[in-house]
Amino acid sequence: MSVTLADVAARAGVSAATVSRVLNGNYPVAGETRSRVLRAVEELEYVVNGPASALAAATSDLVGVLVNDIADPFFAVMASAVQSEMSPAADGSGLSGQKMAIICNTGGSPERELTYLTLLQRQRAAAVVLTGGTVEDPAHTEALATRLRRLSDAGTRVVLCGRPPLPGHDALTVTFDNRGGARRLTEHLLSLGHRRLGYLAGPTARTTTRHRLEGHHAALSEAGLAGEATLTVHGAYDRASGYDGALELLRREPRLTAILAANDTVALGVCAALRDRGLRIPQDVSVTGFDDLPFAVDATPALTTVRLPLADAGARAGRLALDRETPPVGGVATYHADLMARASTAPPSRPGP
Amino acid sequence: MSVTLADVAARAGVSAATVSRVLNGNYPVAGETRSRVLRAVEELEYVVNGPASALAAATSDLVGVLVNDIADPFFAVMASAVQSEMSPAADGSGLSGQKMAIICNTGGSPERELTYLTLLQRQRAAAVVLTGGTVEDPAHTEALATRLRRLSDAGTRVVLCGRPPLPGHDALTVTFDNRGGARRLTEHLLSLGHRRLGYLAGPTARTTTRHRLEGHHAALSEAGLAGEATLTVHGAYDRASGYDGALELLRREPRLTAILAANDTVALGVCAALRDRGLRIPQDVSVTGFDDLPFAVDATPALTTVRLPLADAGARAGRLALDRETPPVGGVATYHADLMARASTAPPSRPGP
DNA sequence: CTGTTAGCGCCTTCAT
DNA sequence: ATGAAGGCGCTAACAG
C-alpha cells in the first residue's frame, strides 16, 4: 500500500497527531519538530489521503459547479471565474485546504441537475454553485428547493449564479438583469426607427427566456406598440436555432427589419441565415445578440448586444461559495446588462408604417 | 449528524453489511430484503458518505481533467467530451459508482499542473486526463513523468489528450497530427500561389507550437522554399496576440500575402488587425486558423483552417480513462487534421516573384 | 508543545 | 443470503 501518516510519524520520530498538525498548520508545533516532519514527508513522498481526512474532519475540499454545457462559452466563462477564486498559488505552496471544483454538465436537464446535487451531497461538497437559468416548472422548483435545503442542512453552502432566487430556499444569489438588457436592446432598435421586429426566444419555460421576453415586451408597451404583432419564435440556445428561427421569422413576416436573438450564439445563426438569403446586415435587417461573448465583437458586422459581466459574477459567486466575501444585503446581487451598440444595427432602410 | 448506513440498517431490520451490499449491488441479496432496505433509504433520505466509502474501499469516483483554461473553447470542447463519457443517466438511476470530473485550470503553468496532480493524488482520483499541449522543458518533463508515475503506481489511470506521448511514462495517449495539419495549411496556400507567408506561432517551448511550426517548415522545404524568409512571430494563443502579431508581421514584410495563425482564436485577431489596416481578406491577405472551433465558420470571411476532432478525442480519452475501451496498439491514437478550405484564403492578387 | 485515545462511516473478509 | 467484526487513514478532544 501507499505511505500513510503513521509511516511519516515513525520516520520523523513523532506521533501521527503531530504530523497531522504540521500538515494542516492550524496548530502550534515546534520549529525543530516541524522541519523534521516535513523532511520525512519529502523523503517518503507522502501525499495526504483526501477521503480519510474528509471523513475524519467531516469536511471536504470539493466544490460543485453545475452548468448546462461547459462547451458553451456562456457557462465556460462563469465556471472559469468561479474556479479562479479557488485556484492554488502557482508555486504550489500551502496545499492544505485547497478547494477543487467539480464541474457538472447537466445538459439543461432538470433530472440530471437533481442527480448531480445528490452526487455532490454524497461527496459532502463544501459548496455548490448553480449557474445559468433554470426550468420553470413547479414540480422541479420544489424538488430543487428540497434538495438544496438538504444540502444546506448538511453544511454545504449553496450559491446561485445567473439565475433568479429560488422560491423555497434562501441561497445566496448573483443574478443578471435580463429584463433590463432585453429592454435596452429593444429600445435601441425602436429608437433607430424599427417597427417590425422579430424576436427569437430561447427554450420555453426557462427563467432567462421569460425575463428577456418580458423586457422586450415592456419596451414595446412603453413605446405604445404593445398591440403590434409581436413576432416570436422559440428555439434552443444554439446556432442552428438561430438559423432556422430566422428563416421562420422571415417566412411569417418578410418585411421585418430587425431580429433580436436569444443570445449571441443564436445571433450568429441568424446572421448566417440572412446572408444565405441575400439580405444585408444591417442595411436590410438589423440583428442583436445577448451576453456579449468574446466572439461578438469579431462577428461581421460586429454584433450589437448587451454585456453580461459573466466573469465578475462567476468570481463573486466563487467567493460567496467559499465564504470569503460578505453576502449582499438581502442575499441577492444583481448585475446590470450594458448595451453594446455595434455595427449589426442601423436605421431601417424602409421605415415602418 | 446526518443519516448513516447504520440508521438505514436499523430501520430496515438488517445489518449494515446488507445495506451496503444492496447499495453497491455487487452481491446477491434477497429481493424481499432488498426492497425493504431501499424503502428505508427513501424514508430516511439517506445519501452515501462518499469519503467514507472511498476510504474503506480504497477507490474514488473522481476523475481529474487538467486544462489550460476552460474558458477557451479548445479545452472546453475536449473537457465536455471527456465528461460526457461519464455523465449519469438523465433519470438518475444507478448512481453507484458514478464518476465525477474535477476540471482543473492550470492556466498553462507547469507548476500548477504539478500542483493539481498532487491534489488529485490526494483525492485518490480514479483517473487523470491531461489535455492540450505541454511545455517542453526537460526539468518539467521529468517532474511530470515522476508525478504521473506515482499516480499510476497508486492505481490512477493516466490519459493524455491532445499532446504527444510523454517520454518517461507510458500513459495512454490520444493526440492530434499537428504537423500534418500545419503542413496541409501551408501546402494549400502555396498551391494558391502564395510565396510570402507570415507565420504567427504560439508560445515558445510548447509541443503544439513546435509541431505546427515543423509541419509548416516541412511544406516549405518540399516546395523548395526552405531558404525563403520564414517570417515567424511568437505569441500567446489568444486574440490579442493575433492582432499584435499581424501588425508586427506586416511591419517586417509589408508585401506578405498570407498569414498562418497559431489557431482560430489568433486568426480572429489577425483578421481584426488586417481590417483595421484597410486590408481585405482574402484579396489582399489570406488568413488561416487551426482547430476549426465552432466560430470559425461564422467568421467573415469564413476561416480556412484544419479541423481537429476535439470532441471525438475527448470522448475517446474519457473512455480510456474509465477503462471502457481497449487501448490503441502502442498506446497512442493519433487523429488526423482535415483541411477546411473556406473563404479566407484565395490566390494572391499580386503573385510573388 | 506533543502523545494517547477514540471514533468518523463504510466495506469486506470470515463465519453462519 | 445474511451478520459480526476489524480496519481503511486521519482528526480531534483530552491529557500531560
Side-chain angles (χ1 to χ4, degrees), chain A residues 192-197 228 255-257 347-353:
Chain A
L192 285 174
H194 292 274
R195 287 301 175 273
R196 295 188 192 285
L197 313 176
E228 297 292 307
R255 296 173 302 165
L256 61 76
T257 62
S349 33
R350 298 165 306 170

Side-chain angles (χ1 to χ4, degrees), chain B residues 12 30-31 41 70 95 113 150 174 226 247 288 298 312 332:
Chain B
V41 167
I70 196 64
L95 284 200
E113 184 169 64
R150 282 188 208 155
V174 177
L247 295 183
T288 64
D298 282 309
D312 290 347
V332 180

Side-chain angles (χ1 to χ4, degrees), chain B residues 8 19 23 36-47:
Chain B
V8 177
V19 178
L23 261 29
R36 203 139 36 88
V37 169
L38 257 17
R39 185 143 32 82
V41 167
E42 281 294 310
E43 293 168 351
L44 264 31
E45 296 179 354
Y46 171 70
V47 175

Side-chain angles (χ1 to χ4, degrees), chain B residues 38-322:
Chain B
L38 257 17
R39 185 143 32 82
V41 167
E42 281 294 310
E43 293 168 351
L44 264 31
E45 296 179 354
Y46 171 70
V47 175
V48 179
N49 182 316
S53 56
L55 172 58
T59 66
S60 138
D61 293 336
L62 303 174
V63 173
V65 180
L66 266 60
V67 299
N68 268 11
D69 178 10
I70 196 64
D72 179 335
F74 177 84
F75 293 97
V77 171
M78 275 194 293
S80 177
V82 170
Q83 270 221 97
S84 68
E85 290 298 318
M86 43 196 203
S87 76
D91 64 1
S93 67
L95 284 200
S96 83
Q98 181 57 55
K99 295 288 187 293
M100 306 194 75
I102 299 190
I103 295 186
C104 309
N105 273 18
T106 64
S109 148
E111 295 75 25
R112 204 164 297 178
E113 184 169 64
L114 296 175
T115 299
Y116 272 123
L117 289 175
T118 300
L119 250 16
L120 288 166
Q121 183 176 350
R122 170 188 297 197
Q123 296 296 343
R124 299 301 188 259
V128 167
V129 179
L130 304 180
T131 69
T134 184
V135 170
E136 294 199 303
D137 167 49
H140 178 246
T141 301
E142 194 187 315
L144 192 55
T146 302
R147 205 59 121 264
L148 293 184
R149 208 165 313 111
R150 282 188 208 155
L151 276 165
S152 334
D153 290 350
T156 297
R157 295 179 65 88
V158 178
V159 179
L160 270 30
C161 180
R163 67 170 65 178
L166 179 71
H169 184 89
D170 59 347
L172 293 179
T173 305
V174 177
T175 189
F176 302 115
D177 181 17
N178 281 306
R179 278 195 197 80
R183 168 198 294 259
R184 274 182 281 286
L185 245 10
T186 306
E187 287 170 350
H188 168 70
L189 289 171
L190 291 176
S191 74
L192 286 174
H194 292 273
R195 288 299 177 274
R196 293 187 192 287
L197 314 175
Y199 190 92
L200 221 43
T204 52
R206 305 216 124 230
T207 53
T208 37
T209 299
R210 181 167 63 79
H211 291 164
R212 291 177 189 182
L213 207 39
E214 286 174 1
H216 175 60
H217 288 157
L220 251 26
S221 297
E222 276 184 17
L225 298 170
E228 297 293 306
T230 320
L231 215 50
T232 303
V233 169
H234 282 271
Y237 277 125
D238 59 25
R239 183 180 188 276
S241 297
Y243 193 97
D244 299 343
L247 295 183
E248 171 65 15
L249 284 173
L250 285 172
R251 206 180 53 66
R252 293 203 204 164
E253 174 51 275
R255 296 173 303 165
L256 61 77
T257 62
I259 295 180
L260 295 102
N263 69 17
D264 293 346
T265 306
V266 172
L268 245 37
V270 170
C271 291
L274 292 175
R275 268 196 296 275
D276 288 357
R277 267 302 180 78
L279 292 168
R280 295 163 306 162
I281 308 167
Q283 296 88 337
D284 298 320
V285 180
S286 284
V287 177
T288 64
F290 208 111
D291 296 346
D292 194 25
L293 295 181
F295 60 74
V297 69
D298 282 309
T300 313
L303 202 59
T304 290
T305 185
V306 286
R307 167 170 297 170
L308 295 190
L310 300 171
D312 290 347
R316 179 94 169 265
R319 272 174 272 130
L320 289 172
L322 300 182

Side-chain angles (χ1 to χ4, degrees), chain A residues 153-323:
Chain A
D153 289 350
T156 296
R157 294 180 65 88
V158 177
V159 178
L160 270 29
C161 181
R163 67 170 65 178
L166 179 71
H169 189 277
D170 58 347
L172 293 179
T173 305
V174 177
T175 190
F176 302 115
D177 180 17
N178 280 307
R179 278 196 197 78
R183 167 197 294 259
R184 273 182 281 286
L185 244 11
T186 305
E187 287 169 350
H188 167 69
L189 289 171
L190 292 176
S191 75
L192 285 174
H194 292 274
R195 287 301 175 273
R196 295 188 192 285
L197 313 176
Y199 191 92
L200 221 43
T204 51
R206 306 214 123 231
T207 52
T208 37
T209 299
R210 182 167 61 79
H211 291 163
R212 291 177 189 182
L213 208 39
E214 286 175 2
H216 176 58
H217 289 156
L220 250 28
S221 297
E222 277 185 16
L225 298 170
E228 297 292 307
T230 319
L231 215 50
T232 303
V233 169
H234 282 272
Y237 278 125
D238 59 25
R239 183 180 186 276
S241 297
Y243 193 96
D244 299 342
L247 296 182
E248 172 65 16
L249 284 173
L250 285 172
R251 204 180 55 66
R252 293 202 203 165
E253 173 51 276
R255 296 173 302 165
L256 61 76
T257 62
I259 296 180
L260 296 102
N263 69 17
D264 292 346
T265 305
V266 172
L268 244 37
V270 171
C271 290
L274 293 175
R275 268 196 296 274
D276 288 358
R277 267 302 179 78
L279 292 168
R280 294 163 306 162
I281 308 166
Q283 296 87 339
D284 299 319
V285 180
S286 283
V287 177
T288 64
F290 208 110
D291 296 347
D292 195 26
L293 295 181
F295 61 74
V297 69
D298 281 310
T300 313
L303 203 59
T304 289
T305 185
V306 287
R307 166 171 298 172
L308 296 189
L310 299 171
D312 290 347
R316 179 95 169 263
R319 271 174 271 129
L320 289 171
L322 301 182
D323 200 8

Side-chain angles (χ1 to χ4, degrees), chain A residues 18 21 47 332:
Chain A
T18 301
R21 295 196 263 251
V47 175
V332 180

